[in-house]
Structure formats: C-alpha cells, structure tokens
Amino acid sequence: MNSCKSCKSTTLIVDSVTGNLECSSCGVVQDFNNYEQQTFNADGPTGTNVRLGSTGSRYDYSYRETKIYLAQNIVSDILSRLDLEQRVDEVNNMIKIITEEEYGSGNWFNVLVGACVYVVMRKANKWLPLTSICDSVGCDIYELGRMVSRVVEHLDLRLPDFDIVGLFDRVFNEWVRAKGSIGRDQIGRMLKQGIFLLQCMVKWYVTTGRRPVPVVVAVIGFVCELNEVEISMDDLASQLNVAVATCKSRYKELLKRLVDVARGNLPWGDDVNVKNIMKNAPIVIQYMEVKSMCNVGKEAKSLEKVGVDLGCLVNDCLNQEDESTFVEAFGQNESRDSVDWENEDLERLNVSAECLSTIYSKYLEEYSNMKTSMKRVDNTMRESSEKFDFFVDATDYWSGDSELSKKLFLDKILEKDVGLNAMPPSFVNGCLRTKKRKEKIKAAKIRIEKIRRPLMAERGCNEGDDHLVKVKSRKRKRKKIDMDWEDFVIETLLLHEIKEEEIEKGYYNTLLDLHVFNL
C-alpha cells in the first residue's frame, strides 16, 4: 500500500484531470507514477497522447496567449540589450496599436520592436543611432530604416528634427569626459570648440543628406588632436557602429573647409594645405571665432543703403523755420506726414541755405560715425590677425565667446559669417560630373564625325583637338585614345539621336533601356 511521502498517510486519491496521486490529508502531490509509453504500430500511434501547452492542473495556455507571452519576452530582451528597460510600457503600447494587440513572431517582429524603440527615443529627444539598434535586433540599417518609415506613417507621427549638437554632447561626455587625465577647463574648451566646428559644418552643408554619427566622430577626432588628447577614431567609430572610412571622409572634408578659410582670409593662406592645416588650425579657428562675432555683413548692408529721408529733412527744416512756409507751399488741409515728398518739393518750400547746411552736417556726422564703426571692426580683425604670429600658449587662441559655441537654430547658424560660404558637396560634385560628361560628349561627337566624314574632320583638325587624327604628309599617325565604358555608352546614345541634355544627367541605364534595348 502506497503512503504519502510527506506525512506517511495512506489516504491517497487520484486527481481526475492530471491523473496524479495526491494526499487527502496534506495535499502533497506524489511522485509521477502514471507514465504510459507511446508506441506505434502499422495502424499509427498507440497509447495516450500528451496534450501540449499544459502548465499545471486546471489551467491551459491558448495559442494567442502563448504568442503574446513570447512577443513580450522579445521586447524585454531587446530593451535590456539597449539598457532601456524603463521604456517597456511605451514600446508595448506602440506595438499594441500597430498590431491591434495581436503581436507576432518571426524576424519581422524584431525589426518592428527596434523601429518602435527608435521612434520612442526620437519623440523624447533622446539620442539613439539606428546602427546600435541594428546590432541588438539583428538586421541591417536599411531594413530598420524602412520599418521606421512605416511606423511613422502608420501612426501619423511627426518626429522632431535630429539634434546633432545633443548627439555630440552625449558622445563627448561618454567617451572623452570619462578620461580622468583631462582637466575640467580643458573639457569645457574642447566641448565649445566641438560645437563651434560642428555648427560650422552645418553652415557649410557638410551634414546635409549625411549620417550624423560619422560627422560627430570626425569633429571629436579633430578637437582631440587639436588639444593633444589621445583618442582613436577607429575605436570610437567601432564603438558607435559606424564605418571608419566614412568618419575619415568627413574628417578630410573638415580639413578641406578649414584650408579654404585660411586661403581666402589669411595673408599666408596660399601656403596652407591639408598636410599642415593642424599647425595653422588655432589661427584659423580664432579668425573664424572673431569673424562670427562681428556683424560686418549687416553694417555693410546698412552702409550701402544710406540715404536721405526727405520727410525727416522737411520736418527738421520746418521746426527751425516758420510753419507758414509749409502752409503757403501745400495748403491748409495738408499735413506733413500725408505729403509724398520728392526733390521738387524742396524748391516749393524755399528752405534757407542755413537750414540745409545744418541738416546736411547732421547726416554727414551720422555717416562718418558709421564709417568709423566699420573701420573699428576692420582694425579689430587686423589686430587679431597680427597676433597670430605671437602665440606661445596653444590655449590663448580660444575665447569661447561666440554664439556658435552654443546650440543655435538653423536660421541663426546660416546668418553667421565665419569667413567661408561653401556650397553643398553633393551639388559641387554634381556640377563637376556634369562638366566631365560634357567633355566626354564633345569628344564622342568628334570621334563620330571623324568616322562619318573623315576628310572634313582632317581639314578641321586644330592643334588643340586631342581626339582627332593629325595628318602629316601621306602617312597617318594615330594617337592613342584612352576610353572607358562611359565613352562607349555616350557614343551609343549619341548614335541613337538622344539629346545631349538628357545624356548630361547621367542616367545611362534608363536611357539605354528606353532607346537602345527597347526596340
């Protein structure tokens, strides 16, 4: 006779649901002793089938509840990898709205969770790059970006603009400030210099259409090198999950912009290049800082618009002379403000020479004061440029008083003058590529014309035409022509009578599909 393993009582009963033995005295479930081996024969399985999903007596999980449970585990796991456990409720609520409380399973659900995490952080104005989420989710950045667009469109959200200055501040605090060997004053100076250069890059359109993290890495690397702080750009890029080559490209673009500033404004600017720009960087940055604090553009603009307000002139004249002069000239019902003053009206007023001389002296004094202020600004900038040769301490060049050292809105950044007004790199590269295509089109037309009408091509051959065959006596010496696939494609399109304006755009595959292969 079996007895209870706990109280040794023999009053054991069989549970009707699980089939296990339970003690009626203490309620302890006895050891499992009702196992039945499942066997198979020619007709199929024999024995007792065990139902899946059972978790205990008198309760079973349904398929939907199991799916939700597993999905919530995925959400918690991804957020724990990103150290964002406090955002679980916000992400769960967003997923409930999107999936209509059905959740899901598969790799697409992981991507959806990552997209919701990114949207939640962007709504809270917190920095979280897509590359960091990709590592936690297990997808590429393009797949995650498409899912973010779908989430934003489905929920009809308007995400705030990306705060690149906030991104720089957070990365700088996490990777540079954490070094204990750097002083507090040096940390503050480097932070202001980084924000200043970062907003200058925004003004120079270096960040337009670019990923922001490589730009931030490039600025941090430049500022650390300028202040002799050792930091590896490769390690920083790998920690932030961005390509090292892209960060180095942005670093080179920053150096080129500083070289352009030096060549356009410094007396020895022609000798500055990318190789020695770090030696001249303190001087260039000081010039940019002084230039940004001077409103030379506004004062020059106001100086160009200096003129004489005839209304104020007449009012001043009439204040010195009799009011009857105005009544005789324009009548009793007219007022001074209602008259549209012109030069001929001064003759009707009969203003005395003494009055005109006084008013002229007044405006001449104002004009001279404005010119004096302009000269003062020029002298300040000239004196600051003269001080460049006397630097001893590398920290004296930076004051940090410019507004560009603080976070500004885009319109304020574009108003500042730092000594260089650059065009977007993509626009400049597009213009250069278009110019190159025009030259290739011109060379292709000459080659085609040479084959169609060789005699005319030979007669019209000039010394500057490198693509034509020059005739000397009776022997022809063919000059070797370097051609690539683009030259052959352009020749093919020209032979199919496609307009040059269409070829200059560079959409070769589309033009070939429309006019060459679609025949």
Side-chain angles (χ1 to χ4, degrees):
M1 186 80 179
N2 294 332
S3 61
C4 178
K5 63 181 181 179
S6 177
C7 64
K8 306 302 180 180
S9 174
T10 58
T11 57
L12 301 179
I13 59 175
V14 178
D15 185 78
S16 60
V17 177
T18 62
N20 296 329
L21 289 176
E22 296 180 356
C23 180
S24 60
S25 299
C26 62
V28 175
V29 179
Q30 306 303 308
D31 294 335
F32 182 75
N33 58 358
N34 59 350
Y35 173 74
E36 295 180 5
Q37 184 177 4
Q38 187 175 0
T39 58
F40 295 84
N41 56 18
D43 298 331
T46 61
T48 304
N49 293 325
V50 179
R51 182 171 54 184
L52 298 178
S54 177
T55 59
S57 61
R58 301 181 181 86
Y59 187 82
D60 295 328
Y61 268 132
S62 64
Y63 168 76
R64 181 175 181 275
E65 292 171 338
T66 304
K67 181 177 64 174
I68 293 175
Y69 173 76
L70 296 176
Q72 289 178 347
N73 286 341
I74 294 175
V75 175
S76 301
D77 182 47
I78 293 176
L79 289 174
S80 63
R81 295 178 194 173
L82 297 171
D83 295 331
L84 296 173
E85 292 86 352
Q86 67 277 11
R87 302 284 181 178
V88 172
D89 295 336
E90 300 179 44
V91 175
N92 275 328
N93 292 334
M94 188 173 292
I95 293 176
K96 284 182 181 180
I97 297 174
I98 295 174
T99 61
E100 297 179 356
E101 298 186 6
E102 291 293 335
Y103 288 86
S105 60
N107 187 50
W108 70 269
F109 184 76
N110 295 2
V111 180
L112 175 63
V113 174
C116 292
V117 172
Y118 179 79
V119 172
V120 168
M121 297 301 291
R122 279 289 300 273
K123 287 177 61 179
N125 290 321
K126 300 294 183 180
W127 169 72
L128 183 64
L130 287 174
T131 52
S132 299
I133 302 178
C134 291
D135 290 345
S136 302
V137 172
C139 65
D140 57 18
I141 190 171
Y142 304 102
E143 185 178 4
L144 182 60
R146 288 192 294 268
M147 184 63 75
V148 170
S149 301
R150 294 176 62 182
V151 169
V152 172
E153 183 180 359
H154 181 78
L155 298 178
D156 195 17
L157 298 176
R158 183 178 179 86
L159 298 181
D161 295 335
F162 193 87
D163 184 10
I164 192 171
V165 176
L167 170 62
F168 172 82
D169 192 5
R170 179 172 177 177
V171 175
F172 185 87
N173 291 331
E174 290 181 356
W175 298 99
V176 181
R177 192 186 292 270
K179 294 189 175 183
S181 59
I182 307 176
R184 182 178 299 178
D185 296 337
Q186 189 177 8
I187 286 290
R189 183 173 64 255
M190 292 172 61
L191 183 60
K192 287 187 176 181
Q193 288 175 357
I195 295 175
F196 179 86
L197 292 174
L198 189 64
Q199 295 190 131
C200 287
M201 295 183 74
V202 173
K203 177 179 175 59
W204 295 331
Y205 301 101
V206 177
T207 60
T208 303
R210 307 287 186 72
R211 296 178 183 175
V213 181
V215 179
V216 171
V217 174
V219 172
I220 291 178
F222 180 84
V223 172
C224 291
E225 185 177 358
L226 182 64
N227 292 271
E228 299 180 354
V229 176
E230 294 184 1
I231 189 171
S232 176
M233 190 182 298
D234 297 349
D235 296 341
L236 182 58
S238 61
Q239 292 293 335
L240 295 176
N241 301 307
V242 292
V244 179
T246 306
C247 298
K248 292 183 177 180
S249 298
R250 301 295 171 266
Y251 180 80
K252 292 179 181 179
E253 290 180 355
L254 174 58
L255 296 183
K256 290 179 181 178
R257 291 296 185 274
L258 295 177
V259 170
D260 294 340
V261 174
R263 289 182 176 179
N265 300 281
L266 298 183
W268 62 93
D270 295 336
D271 299 330
V272 180
N273 51 37
V274 178
K275 295 182 180 179
N276 60 14
I277 184 59
M278 289 305 301
K279 297 181 180 179
N280 296 274
I283 304 173
V284 177
I285 292 177
Q286 184 181 24
Y287 173 81
M288 293 167 57
E289 185 184 18
V290 174
K291 187 78 172 177
S292 64
M293 291 188 294
C294 300
N295 295 325
V296 180
K298 294 183 178 180
E299 294 185 5
K301 186 176 180 181
S302 61
L303 185 62
E304 293 176 357
K305 294 185 177 181
V306 171
V308 178
D309 188 356
L310 294 180
C312 295
L313 176 62
V314 172
N315 290 332
D316 292 339
C317 291
L318 294 180
N319 289 334
Q320 297 182 15
E321 298 192 356
D322 190 7
E323 181 72 20
S324 59
T325 306
F326 177 81
V327 177
E328 292 176 0
F330 297 95
Q332 185 68 33
N333 296 326
E334 292 289 342
S335 63
R336 299 180 186 180
D337 297 332
S338 62
V339 177
D340 189 8
W341 298 101
E342 296 182 358
N343 293 331
E344 293 79 4
D345 297 332
L346 296 178
E347 299 179 359
R348 298 168 58 185
L349 284 173
N350 274 335
V351 180
S352 63
E354 293 79 6
C355 180
L356 287 176
S357 177
T358 304
I359 301 302
Y360 176 74
S361 300
K362 176 182 177 182
Y363 280 91
L364 186 62
E365 181 180 359
E366 294 178 357
Y367 180 77
S368 61
N369 292 336
M370 187 175 297
K371 289 187 65 178
T372 303
S373 62
M374 292 290 292
K375 289 181 179 179
R376 189 180 301 111
V377 172
D378 294 338
N379 292 334
T380 302
M381 297 180 63
R382 191 174 295 108
E383 290 175 1
S384 61
S385 62
E386 292 175 356
K387 293 180 183 179
F388 293 155
D389 299 332
F390 302 98
F391 281 126
V392 178
D393 188 0
T395 61
D396 291 340
Y397 68 89
W398 178 259
S399 64
D401 296 332
S402 175
E403 292 184 358
L404 285 176
S405 299
K406 305 174 184 178
K407 181 181 176 181
L408 298 177
F409 290 106
L410 181 59
D411 55 348
K412 296 295 183 181
I413 296 175
L414 298 178
E415 290 178 358
K416 296 296 180 180
D417 183 12
V418 293
L420 177 65
N421 292 321
M423 299 298 293
S426 58
F427 175 78
V428 176
N429 295 333
C431 294
L432 293 177
R433 285 193 293 266
T434 302
K435 183 179 179 181
K436 183 179 178 180
R437 293 190 198 103
K438 288 182 179 180
E439 295 176 354
K440 286 181 174 291
I441 292 172
K442 183 179 179 180
K445 290 173 66 177
I446 294 175
R447 291 194 299 269
I448 293 173
E449 192 67 19
K450 170 188 156 183
I451 295 174
R452 286 180 174 177
R453 291 183 285 270
L455 295 178
M456 295 182 61
E458 291 175 3
R459 293 174 183 174
C461 179
N462 299 324
E463 295 182 358
D465 296 332
D466 297 334
H467 303 280
L468 294 180
V469 179
K470 297 184 180 181
V471 180
K472 292 184 179 180
S473 67
R474 295 181 179 179
K475 296 182 179 180
R476 296 184 178 180
K477 293 183 180 180
R478 296 184 178 273
K479 188 175 181 179
K480 186 178 179 180
I481 303 175
D482 295 331
M483 297 179 60
D484 54 6
W485 66 271
E486 189 175 6
D487 295 306
F488 290 107
V489 171
I490 290 175
E491 283 187 5
T492 304
L493 296 176
L494 288 174
L495 290 173
H496 283 77
E497 298 181 353
I498 299 175
K499 296 181 180 180
E500 297 181 17
E501 294 79 5
E502 298 294 331
I503 302 177
E504 290 175 2
K505 297 178 181 179
Y507 301 114
Y508 298 132
N509 293 334
T510 303
L511 294 176
L512 289 173
D513 293 339
L514 290 175
H515 304 281
V516 179
F517 300 117
N518 191 17
L519 296 178

